[in-house]
Amino acid sequence: QNHPVLIGLTIRLLLLFALPLLMDDGLLLPGVRYTDIDYDVFTDAADHIAHGRSPYDRHTYRYTPFLAKLLALPSEYYGWSSNSSSSSSVP
């Protein structure tokens, strides 16, 4: 029997994991990032908060500091950094 819902769900789950890997690594479209630039802005601001600095140290951060604090909670709880540029604090 064909299960269209199960087939559709499987295809979506495969794309959910495969597309970011293929796109961000430049395998499908070199020079085009799948991850939105806001992701970088938010994670940098959260990293600033986690290290005791202001989220506004990121010159493009124009959102509420509460959002940066909320996004910094996992790094504060687990003790790792969300920013790849400060990989020295990643266990």
Side-chain angles (χ1 to χ4, degrees):
Q1 289 183 10
N2 288 337
H3 296 284
V5 173
L6 185 59
I7 293 170
L9 180 63
T10 303
I11 291 171
R12 286 177 188 234
L13 288 174
L14 287 173
L15 289 174
L16 177 72
F17 291 105
L19 278 180
L21 294 174
L22 294 172
M23 300 277 293
D24 278 346
D25 291 338
L27 297 175
L28 285 179
L29 297 172
V32 177
R33 287 188 51 199
Y34 179 78
T35 305
D36 188 36
I37 192 68
D38 284 337
Y39 175 81
D40 295 331
V41 172
F42 291 139
T43 54
D44 285 350
D47 192 55
H48 284 287
I49 290 284
H51 289 96
R53 298 186 306 264
S54 169
Y56 299 108
D57 288 345
R58 164 79 187 216
H59 68 281
T60 56
Y61 189 76
R62 293 175 176 81
Y63 308 96
T64 176
F66 176 73
L67 179 60
K69 179 66 176 169
L70 189 65
L71 294 172
L73 289 177
S75 68
E76 290 175 357
Y77 181 76
Y78 292 110
W80 45 260
S81 172
S82 60
N83 188 348
S84 61
S85 66
S86 51
S87 59
S88 61
S89 62
V90 177

Coordinates of all heavy atoms in Angstrom, one line a residue:
Q1 N 0.8 -1.2 0.0 CA 0.0 0.0 0.0 C 0.9 1.2 0.0 O 1.9 1.3 0.6 CB -0.9 0.0 1.2 CG -2.0 -1.0 1.3 CD -2.8 -0.8 2.5 OE1 -2.7 0.2 3.2 NE2 -3.7 -1.7 2.7
N2 N 0.4 2.2 -0.7 CA 1.1 3.5 -0.7 C 0.5 4.4 0.4 O -0.7 4.4 0.7 CB 0.8 4.3 -2.0 CG 1.6 3.6 -3.1 OD1 2.6 3.0 -2.9 ND2 1.2 3.9 -4.4
H3 N 1.4 5.0 1.1 CA 1.1 5.9 2.2 C 1.6 7.3 1.9 O 2.7 7.6 2.2 CB 1.7 5.4 3.6 CG 1.1 4.1 4.0 ND1 -0.1 4.0 4.6 CD2 1.7 2.9 4.0 CE1 -0.3 2.7 4.9 NE2 0.8 2.0 4.5
P4 N 0.8 8.1 1.2 CA 1.3 9.4 0.8 C 1.7 10.3 1.9 O 2.7 11.1 1.8 CB 0.1 10.0 0.0 CG -1.0 9.2 0.3 CD -0.6 7.9 0.8
V5 N 1.1 10.2 3.0 CA 1.4 11.1 4.2 C 2.8 10.7 4.7 O 3.7 11.5 5.0 CB 0.4 11.0 5.3 CG1 0.8 11.7 6.5 CG2 -0.9 11.5 4.8
L6 N 3.1 9.4 4.8 CA 4.3 8.9 5.3 C 5.5 9.2 4.3 O 6.6 9.6 4.7 CB 4.3 7.4 5.5 CG 5.5 6.7 6.2 CD1 5.8 7.4 7.5 CD2 5.3 5.2 6.3
I7 N 5.2 9.0 3.0 CA 6.2 9.4 2.0 C 6.5 10.9 2.0 O 7.7 11.3 2.0 CB 5.7 8.9 0.6 CG1 5.6 7.4 0.5 CG2 6.6 9.4 -0.5 CD1 4.9 6.8 -0.7
G8 N 5.5 11.7 2.1 CA 5.7 13.1 2.1 C 6.4 13.6 3.4 O 7.3 14.4 3.3
L9 N 6.1 13.0 4.5 CA 6.8 13.3 5.7 C 8.3 12.9 5.7 O 9.2 13.6 6.1 CB 6.1 12.6 6.9 CG 6.8 12.8 8.3 CD1 6.7 14.3 8.7 CD2 6.1 12.0 9.3
T10 N 8.5 11.7 5.1 CA 9.9 11.3 4.9 C 10.7 12.2 4.0 O 11.9 12.6 4.3 CB 9.9 9.8 4.3 OG1 9.2 9.0 5.2 CG2 11.3 9.3 4.2
I11 N 10.1 12.6 2.9 CA 10.8 13.5 2.0 C 11.1 14.9 2.7 O 12.2 15.4 2.6 CB 10.0 13.7 0.7 CG1 10.0 12.5 -0.1 CG2 10.5 14.9 -0.1 CD1 9.0 12.5 -1.3
R12 N 10.1 15.4 3.4 CA 10.3 16.6 4.1 C 11.4 16.5 5.2 O 12.2 17.5 5.4 CB 9.0 17.1 4.8 CG 8.1 17.7 3.8 CD 6.8 18.0 4.5 NE 5.8 18.4 3.5 CZ 5.1 19.5 3.5 NH1 5.3 20.4 4.5 NH2 4.2 19.7 2.6
L13 N 11.5 15.4 5.9 CA 12.5 15.3 6.9 C 13.9 15.1 6.3 O 14.9 15.7 6.8 CB 12.2 14.0 7.8 CG 11.0 14.2 8.8 CD1 10.7 12.9 9.5 CD2 11.3 15.3 9.8
L14 N 14.0 14.4 5.2 CA 15.2 14.3 4.5 C 15.7 15.7 4.0 O 16.9 16.1 4.2 CB 15.1 13.4 3.3 CG 15.1 11.9 3.7 CD1 14.8 11.0 2.4 CD2 16.3 11.4 4.3
L15 N 14.8 16.5 3.4 CA 15.2 17.8 3.0 C 15.5 18.7 4.1 O 16.4 19.6 4.0 CB 14.0 18.4 2.2 CG 13.8 17.8 0.8 CD1 12.6 18.4 0.1 CD2 15.0 18.0 -0.1
L16 N 14.8 18.6 5.3 CA 15.1 19.4 6.4 C 16.6 19.3 6.9 O 17.2 20.2 7.3 CB 14.2 19.0 7.6 CG 14.4 19.7 8.9 CD1 13.9 21.1 8.8 CD2 13.6 19.0 10.0
F17 N 17.1 18.1 6.8 CA 18.5 17.8 7.2 C 19.5 18.0 6.1 O 20.6 18.4 6.3 CB 18.6 16.5 7.9 CG 17.9 16.4 9.2 CD1 16.7 15.7 9.3 CD2 18.4 17.0 10.3 CE1 16.0 15.6 10.5 CE2 17.7 17.0 11.5 CZ 16.5 16.2 11.6
A18 N 19.1 17.6 4.9 CA 20.0 17.6 3.8 C 20.3 19.0 3.2 O 21.4 19.3 2.9 CB 19.6 16.6 2.7
L19 N 19.3 19.8 3.0 CA 19.4 21.1 2.4 C 20.4 22.0 3.1 O 21.3 22.6 2.5 CB 18.1 21.7 2.1 CG 17.4 21.2 0.9 CD1 16.0 22.0 0.7 CD2 18.2 21.4 -0.4
P20 N 20.3 22.2 4.4 CA 21.2 23.1 5.1 C 22.7 22.6 4.9 O 23.6 23.4 4.7 CB 20.8 23.1 6.5 CG 19.4 22.7 6.5 CD 19.2 21.8 5.3
L21 N 22.9 21.3 5.0 CA 24.2 20.8 4.8 C 24.8 21.0 3.4 O 25.9 21.4 3.2 CB 24.2 19.3 5.2 CG 23.9 18.9 6.6 CD1 23.8 17.4 6.7 CD2 25.0 19.5 7.5
L22 N 23.9 20.7 2.4 CA 24.4 20.9 1.1 C 24.5 22.4 0.7 O 25.4 22.7 -0.1 CB 23.4 20.2 0.1 CG 23.3 18.7 0.2 CD1 22.2 18.2 -0.6 CD2 24.6 18.1 -0.2
M23 N 23.6 23.2 1.2 CA 23.7 24.6 0.8 C 24.7 25.4 1.5 O 25.4 26.2 0.9 CB 22.3 25.3 1.0 CG 21.2 24.6 0.2 SD 21.0 25.2 -1.5 CE 20.5 26.9 -1.3
D24 N 24.9 25.2 2.8 CA 25.8 26.0 3.6 C 27.3 25.6 3.3 O 28.2 26.4 3.4 CB 25.6 25.8 5.1 CG 24.5 26.8 5.6 OD1 24.1 27.7 4.8 OD2 24.0 26.6 6.7
D25 N 27.5 24.3 2.9 CA 28.8 23.9 2.5 C 29.1 24.3 1.0 O 30.2 24.0 0.6 CB 29.0 22.4 2.7 CG 29.0 22.0 4.2 OD1 29.2 22.9 5.0 OD2 28.7 20.9 4.5
G26 N 28.2 24.8 0.3 CA 28.4 25.2 -1.0 C 28.4 24.1 -2.1 O 29.0 24.3 -3.2
L27 N 27.9 22.9 -1.7 CA 27.9 21.8 -2.6 C 26.9 22.0 -3.8 O 27.1 21.6 -4.9 CB 27.6 20.5 -1.9 CG 28.7 20.1 -0.8 CD1 28.3 18.9 -0.1 CD2 30.0 19.9 -1.5
L28 N 25.7 22.5 -3.4 CA 24.7 22.7 -4.5 C 24.8 24.1 -5.2 O 24.8 24.1 -6.4 CB 23.3 22.7 -3.9 CG 22.8 21.3 -3.5 CD1 21.4 21.4 -2.9 CD2 22.7 20.4 -4.7
L29 N 24.9 25.1 -4.5 CA 25.0 26.5 -5.1 C 26.2 27.2 -4.4 O 26.1 27.8 -3.3 CB 23.7 27.3 -4.9 CG 22.5 26.7 -5.5 CD1 21.3 27.5 -5.1 CD2 22.6 26.8 -7.0
P30 N 27.4 27.1 -5.0 CA 28.5 27.8 -4.4 C 28.3 29.3 -4.2 O 27.8 29.9 -5.2 CB 29.7 27.5 -5.4 CG 29.2 26.3 -6.1 CD 27.7 26.4 -6.2
G31 N 28.6 29.8 -3.1 CA 28.5 31.2 -2.8 C 27.1 31.6 -2.3 O 26.9 32.8 -1.9
V32 N 26.1 30.7 -2.2 CA 24.8 31.0 -1.7 C 24.6 30.3 -0.3 O 24.8 29.1 -0.3 CB 23.7 30.6 -2.6 CG1 22.3 30.8 -2.1 CG2 23.9 31.3 -4.0
R33 N 24.3 31.1 0.7 CA 24.1 30.5 2.0 C 22.7 30.2 2.3 O 21.8 31.0 1.9 CB 24.7 31.4 3.1 CG 26.2 31.5 3.2 CD 26.7 32.2 4.3 NE 26.0 31.7 5.6 CZ 26.0 32.4 6.7 NH1 26.5 33.5 6.8 NH2 25.4 31.8 7.8
Y34 N 22.4 29.0 2.9 CA 21.0 28.7 3.2 C 20.6 29.4 4.5 O 19.5 29.8 4.7 CB 20.9 27.2 3.4 CG 19.6 26.6 3.8 CD1 18.6 26.5 2.9 CD2 19.3 26.3 5.1 CE1 17.3 26.1 3.3 CE2 18.1 25.8 5.5 CZ 17.1 25.7 4.6 OH 15.9 25.2 4.9
T35 N 21.6 29.5 5.5 CA 21.3 30.1 6.8 C 21.2 31.6 6.6 O 22.0 32.3 5.9 CB 22.5 29.8 7.7 OG1 22.7 28.4 7.8 CG2 22.2 30.4 9.1
D36 N 20.1 32.2 7.2 CA 19.9 33.6 7.1 C 20.9 34.4 7.9 O 21.4 34.0 8.9 CB 18.4 33.9 7.6 CG 18.0 35.3 7.3 OD1 18.3 35.8 6.3 OD2 17.3 35.8 8.2
I37 N 21.1 35.6 7.4 CA 22.1 36.5 8.1 C 21.6 36.9 9.5 O 22.4 37.1 10.4 CB 22.4 37.8 7.2 CG1 23.6 38.5 7.8 CG2 21.2 38.7 7.2 CD1 24.9 37.8 7.6
D38 N 20.3 36.9 9.7 CA 19.8 37.2 11.1 C 20.3 36.1 12.1 O 20.4 36.4 13.2 CB 18.3 37.3 11.0 CG 17.8 38.6 10.4 OD1 18.6 39.6 10.4 OD2 16.6 38.6 10.0
Y39 N 20.4 34.9 11.6 CA 20.9 33.9 12.5 C 22.3 34.2 13.1 O 22.5 34.1 14.2 CB 21.0 32.5 11.7 CG 21.6 31.4 12.5 CD1 20.8 30.7 13.5 CD2 22.9 31.1 12.4 CE1 21.4 29.7 14.2 CE2 23.5 30.1 13.2 CZ 22.7 29.4 14.1 OH 23.3 28.4 14.8
D40 N 23.1 34.8 12.2 CA 24.5 35.2 12.6 C 24.4 36.3 13.6 O 25.1 36.4 14.6 CB 25.3 35.6 11.5 CG 25.6 34.4 10.5 OD1 25.7 33.3 11.0 OD2 25.8 34.6 9.3
V41 N 23.5 37.3 13.3 CA 23.3 38.4 14.2 C 22.8 38.0 15.6 O 23.3 38.4 16.6 CB 22.4 39.5 13.6 CG1 22.0 40.6 14.5 CG2 22.9 40.0 12.3
F42 N 21.8 37.1 15.6 CA 21.2 36.7 16.9 C 22.2 35.8 17.7 O 22.4 36.0 18.9 CB 20.0 35.9 16.7 CG 18.8 36.7 16.2 CD1 18.0 36.2 15.2 CD2 18.5 37.9 16.7 CE1 16.9 37.0 14.7 CE2 17.5 38.7 16.2 CZ 16.7 38.2 15.2
T43 N 22.9 34.9 17.0 CA 23.9 34.1 17.8 C 25.1 34.9 18.3 O 25.6 34.6 19.3 CB 24.4 32.9 16.9 OG1 24.9 33.4 15.7 CG2 23.2 31.9 16.7
D44 N 25.5 35.9 17.5 CA 26.6 36.7 18.0 C 26.2 37.5 19.2 O 26.9 37.7 20.1 CB 27.1 37.7 16.9 CG 27.9 37.0 15.8 OD1 28.3 35.8 16.0 OD2 28.2 37.6 14.8
A45 N 25.0 38.1 19.1 CA 24.4 38.8 20.3 C 24.3 37.9 21.5 O 24.6 38.4 22.6 CB 23.1 39.5 19.9
A46 N 23.8 36.7 21.3 CA 23.7 35.8 22.4 C 25.1 35.5 23.0 O 25.3 35.3 24.2 CB 23.0 34.5 22.0
D47 N 26.1 35.3 22.1 CA 27.4 35.1 22.6 C 28.0 36.2 23.4 O 28.7 36.0 24.4 CB 28.3 34.8 21.4 CG 29.7 34.2 21.8 OD1 29.7 33.2 22.5 OD2 30.7 34.8 21.4
H48 N 27.7 37.5 23.0 CA 28.1 38.6 23.7 C 27.5 38.6 25.1 O 28.2 38.9 26.1 CB 27.7 39.9 23.0 CG 28.5 40.2 21.8 ND1 29.8 40.7 21.9 CD2 28.3 40.2 20.5 CE1 30.3 40.9 20.7 NE2 29.4 40.6 19.8
I49 N 26.2 38.3 25.2 CA 25.5 38.2 26.5 C 26.1 37.1 27.4 O 26.4 37.3 28.5 CB 24.0 38.0 26.3 CG1 23.3 39.2 25.7 CG2 23.3 37.5 27.6 CD1 23.1 40.3 26.7
A50 N 26.4 36.0 26.8 CA 27.0 34.9 27.5 C 28.3 35.2 28.1 O 28.7 34.7 29.1 CB 27.0 33.6 26.6
H51 N 29.0 36.1 27.5 CA 30.4 36.5 27.9 C 30.3 37.8 28.7 O 31.4 38.5 28.9 CB 31.3 36.6 26.8 CG 31.7 35.3 26.2 ND1 31.1 34.7 25.1 CD2 32.6 34.4 26.6 CE1 31.6 33.5 24.9 NE2 32.5 33.3 25.8
G52 N 29.1 38.3 29.1 CA 29.0 39.5 29.9 C 29.1 40.8 29.2 O 29.3 41.8 29.9
R53 N 29.0 40.8 27.9 CA 29.1 42.0 27.1 C 27.7 42.4 26.7 O 26.7 41.7 26.8 CB 30.0 41.8 25.9 CG 31.4 41.5 26.4 CD 32.4 41.5 25.2 NE 32.0 40.6 24.1 CZ 32.4 39.3 24.0 NH1 33.2 38.8 24.8 NH2 32.0 38.6 22.9
S54 N 27.6 43.6 26.1 CA 26.3 44.1 25.6 C 26.0 43.5 24.2 O 27.0 43.3 23.4 CB 26.4 45.6 25.4 OG 25.3 46.1 24.7
P55 N 24.8 43.1 23.9 CA 24.5 42.6 22.6 C 24.7 43.7 21.5 O 24.9 43.3 20.3 CB 23.0 42.1 22.6 CG 22.4 42.9 23.8 CD 23.6 43.1 24.7
Y56 N 24.6 44.9 21.9 CA 24.8 46.0 21.0 C 26.3 46.2 20.5 O 26.6 47.1 19.7 CB 24.2 47.3 21.5 CG 22.7 47.1 21.8 CD1 22.2 47.0 23.1 CD2 21.8 47.1 20.7 CE1 20.9 46.9 23.3 CE2 20.5 46.9 20.9 CZ 20.0 46.8 22.2 OH 18.7 46.7 22.4
D57 N 27.2 45.4 21.1 CA 28.6 45.4 20.6 C 28.6 44.9 19.2 O 29.5 45.2 18.4 CB 29.5 44.5 21.5 CG 29.7 45.2 22.8 OD1 29.5 46.4 23.0 OD2 30.2 44.5 23.8
R58 N 27.6 44.1 18.8 CA 27.4 43.6 17.4 C 26.8 44.8 16.7 O 25.6 45.2 17.0 CB 26.6 42.4 17.4 CG 26.0 42.0 16.0 CD 27.0 41.4 15.1 NE 26.5 41.2 13.8 CZ 26.8 40.1 13.0 NH1 27.5 39.2 13.5 NH2 26.3 40.1 11.8
H59 N 27.5 45.5 15.8 CA 27.0 46.8 15.3 C 25.6 46.6 14.5 O 25.0 47.6 14.3 CB 28.0 47.4 14.4 CG 28.3 46.6 13.1 ND1 29.1 45.5 13.1 CD2 27.9 46.9 11.9 CE1 29.2 45.1 11.9 NE2 28.5 45.9 11.1
T60 N 25.3 45.4 14.1 CA 24.0 45.3 13.3 C 22.9 44.8 14.2 O 21.8 44.5 13.7 CB 24.2 44.3 12.2 OG1 24.7 43.0 12.7 CG2 25.1 44.9 11.1
Y61 N 23.1 44.6 15.5 CA 22.0 44.1 16.4 C 21.1 45.3 16.8 O 21.6 46.3 17.4 CB 22.6 43.5 17.7 CG 21.6 42.8 18.5 CD1 21.1 41.6 18.1 CD2 21.1 43.4 19.7 CE1 20.1 40.9 18.9 CE2 20.2 42.7 20.4 CZ 19.7 41.5 20.0 OH 18.7 40.9 20.8
R62 N 19.9 45.2 16.4 CA 18.9 46.3 16.7 C 17.6 45.7 17.3 O 16.5 46.3 17.1 CB 18.6 47.0 15.4 CG 19.8 47.8 14.9 CD 19.5 48.4 13.5 NE 20.6 49.2 13.1 CZ 21.6 48.8 12.5 NH1 21.8 47.5 12.3 NH2 22.6 49.6 12.0
Y63 N 17.8 44.7 18.1 CA 16.6 44.1 18.7 C 16.6 44.2 20.2 O 17.6 44.8 20.7 CB 16.6 42.6 18.3 CG 16.7 42.4 16.8 CD1 17.9 42.1 16.2 CD2 15.6 42.5 15.9 CE1 18.1 41.9 14.9 CE2 15.7 42.3 14.6 CZ 17.0 42.0 14.0 OH 17.1 41.9 12.7
T64 N 15.6 43.7 20.8 CA 15.6 43.8 22.3 C 16.7 43.0 22.9 O 17.0 41.9 22.5 CB 14.2 43.4 22.8 OG1 14.2 43.4 24.2 CG2 13.8 42.0 22.4
P65 N 17.3 43.5 24.0 CA 18.3 42.7 24.7 C 17.7 41.4 25.3 O 18.4 40.4 25.5 CB 18.9 43.6 25.7 CG 18.2 44.9 25.6 CD 17.2 44.8 24.5
F66 N 16.4 41.4 25.6 CA 15.8 40.2 26.1 C 15.9 39.1 25.2 O 16.1 37.9 25.6 CB 14.3 40.5 26.4 CG 13.5 39.4 26.9 CD1 13.7 38.9 28.2 CD2 12.6 38.7 26.1 CE1 13.0 37.8 28.6 CE2 11.9 37.6 26.5 CZ 12.1 37.1 27.8
L67 N 15.8 39.3 23.9 CA 15.9 38.2 22.9 C 17.4 37.6 23.0 O 17.5 36.4 23.0 CB 15.6 38.7 21.5 CG 15.8 37.7 20.4 CD1 14.8 36.5 20.6 CD2 15.5 38.4 19.1
A68 N 18.3 38.5 23.0 CA 19.7 38.0 23.1 C 19.9 37.2 24.4 O 20.6 36.2 24.4 CB 20.7 39.2 23.1
K69 N 19.4 37.7 25.5 CA 19.5 37.0 26.8 C 18.8 35.6 26.7 O 19.3 34.6 27.2 CB 18.9 37.8 27.9 CG 18.9 37.2 29.3 CD 20.3 37.0 29.8 CE 20.3 36.4 31.2 NZ 21.7 36.0 31.6
L70 N 17.6 35.6 26.1 CA 16.9 34.3 25.9 C 17.7 33.3 25.1 O 17.8 32.1 25.4 CB 15.5 34.6 25.3 CG 14.5 33.5 25.2 CD1 14.1 33.1 26.6 CD2 13.3 33.9 24.4
L71 N 18.3 33.8 24.0 CA 19.1 32.9 23.2 C 20.4 32.5 23.8 O 21.0 31.5 23.4 CB 19.4 33.6 21.8 CG 18.1 33.8 21.0 CD1 18.5 34.7 19.7 CD2 17.5 32.5 20.5
A72 N 20.9 33.3 24.8 CA 22.1 32.9 25.5 C 21.9 31.9 26.6 O 22.9 31.3 27.1 CB 22.7 34.2 26.1
L73 N 20.7 31.6 27.0 CA 20.4 30.7 28.1 C 21.1 29.3 27.8 O 21.7 28.8 28.8 CB 18.9 30.6 28.3 CG 18.3 31.8 29.0 CD1 16.8 31.6 29.1 CD2 18.9 32.1 30.3
P74 N 20.9 28.7 26.7 CA 21.6 27.4 26.5 C 23.1 27.4 26.7 O 23.7 26.5 27.3 CB 21.2 27.0 25.1 CG 20.0 27.8 24.7 CD 20.1 29.0 25.5
S75 N 23.8 28.5 26.2 CA 25.2 28.5 26.3 C 25.6 28.8 27.8 O 26.6 28.3 28.3 CB 25.8 29.6 25.4 OG 25.5 30.9 25.8
E76 N 24.8 29.6 28.5 CA 25.0 29.8 29.9 C 24.8 28.5 30.7 O 25.5 28.2 31.6 CB 24.2 30.9 30.5 CG 24.6 32.3 29.9 CD 23.6 33.4 30.4 OE1 22.6 33.1 31.1 OE2 23.9 34.5 30.0
Y77 N 23.8 27.8 30.4 CA 23.4 26.5 31.1 C 24.5 25.4 30.8 O 24.9 24.8 31.7 CB 22.0 26.1 30.7 CG 21.6 24.8 31.4 CD1 21.1 24.9 32.7 CD2 21.6 23.6 30.8 CE1 20.7 23.8 33.4 CE2 21.2 22.5 31.4 CZ 20.8 22.5 32.7 OH 20.4 21.4 33.4
Y78 N 24.8 25.2 29.5 CA 25.7 24.2 29.2 C 27.2 24.6 29.2 O 28.1 23.8 29.1 CB 25.4 23.6 27.8 CG 24.0 22.9 27.8 CD1 22.9 23.4 27.2 CD2 23.9 21.7 28.5 CE1 21.7 22.7 27.2 CE2 22.7 21.0 28.5 CZ 21.6 21.5 27.9 OH 20.4 20.9 27.9
G79 N 27.4 25.9 29.2 CA 28.8 26.4 29.2 C 29.5 26.4 27.9 O 30.7 26.4 27.9
W80 N 28.8 26.4 26.8 CA 29.4 26.5 25.5 C 29.0 27.7 24.8 O 28.1 28.3 25.1 CB 29.2 25.3 24.6 CG 27.8 24.8 24.6 CD1 27.2 23.7 25.3 CD2 26.7 25.3 23.8 NE1 25.9 23.6 25.0 CE2 25.5 24.5 24.1 CE3 26.5 26.3 22.9 CZ2 24.3 24.7 23.5 CZ3 25.3 26.6 22.3 CH2 24.2 25.8 22.6
S81 N 29.8 28.1 23.8 CA 29.6 29.3 23.1 C 28.8 29.0 21.8 O 29.0 28.0 21.2 CB 31.0 29.9 22.7 OG 30.8 31.0 21.8
S82 N 28.0 30.0 21.4 CA 27.2 29.8 20.2 C 27.9 30.3 19.0 O 27.4 30.2 17.9 CB 25.8 30.4 20.4 OG 26.0 31.8 20.6
N83 N 29.0 31.0 19.2 CA 29.7 31.7 18.1 C 30.9 30.8 17.7 O 31.7 30.5 18.5 CB 30.1 33.1 18.5 CG 30.7 33.9 17.4 OD1 31.0 33.3 16.3 ND2 30.9 35.1 17.6
S84 N 31.0 30.6 16.4 CA 32.1 29.7 15.9 C 33.5 30.5 16.0 O 34.5 29.9 16.1 CB 31.9 29.3 14.5 OG 31.8 30.4 13.7
S85 N 33.4 31.8 16.1 CA 34.7 32.6 16.1 C 35.3 32.5 17.5 O 36.5 32.8 17.7 CB 34.5 34.0 15.7 OG 33.7 34.7 16.7
S86 N 34.5 32.1 18.5 CA 35.1 32.0 19.9 C 35.1 30.5 20.3 O 34.5 30.2 21.3 CB 34.4 32.9 20.9 OG 33.0 32.7 20.8
S87 N 35.6 29.7 19.4 CA 35.6 28.2 19.6 C 36.4 27.8 20.8 O 36.4 26.6 21.1 CB 36.0 27.5 18.4 OG 37.3 27.9 18.0
S88 N 37.2 28.7 21.4 CA 38.0 28.3 22.5 C 37.2 27.9 23.7 O 37.6 27.1 24.6 CB 39.0 29.4 22.9 OG 38.3 30.5 23.3
S89 N 35.9 28.4 23.8 CA 35.1 28.0 25.0 C 34.2 26.8 24.7 O 33.4 26.4 25.6 CB 34.3 29.2 25.4 OG 33.4 29.6 24.3
V90 N 34.3 26.3 23.5 CA 33.5 25.1 23.2 C 34.2 23.9 23.7 O 35.4 23.7 23.5 CB 33.3 24.9 21.7 CG1 32.5 23.7 21.3 CG2 32.6 26.2 21.1
P91 N 33.4 23.0 24.5 CA 34.1 21.8 25.1 C 34.5 20.8 24.0 O 34.0 20.7 23.0 CB 33.1 21.2 26.0 CG 31.8 21.9 25.7 CD 32.1 23.1 24.9

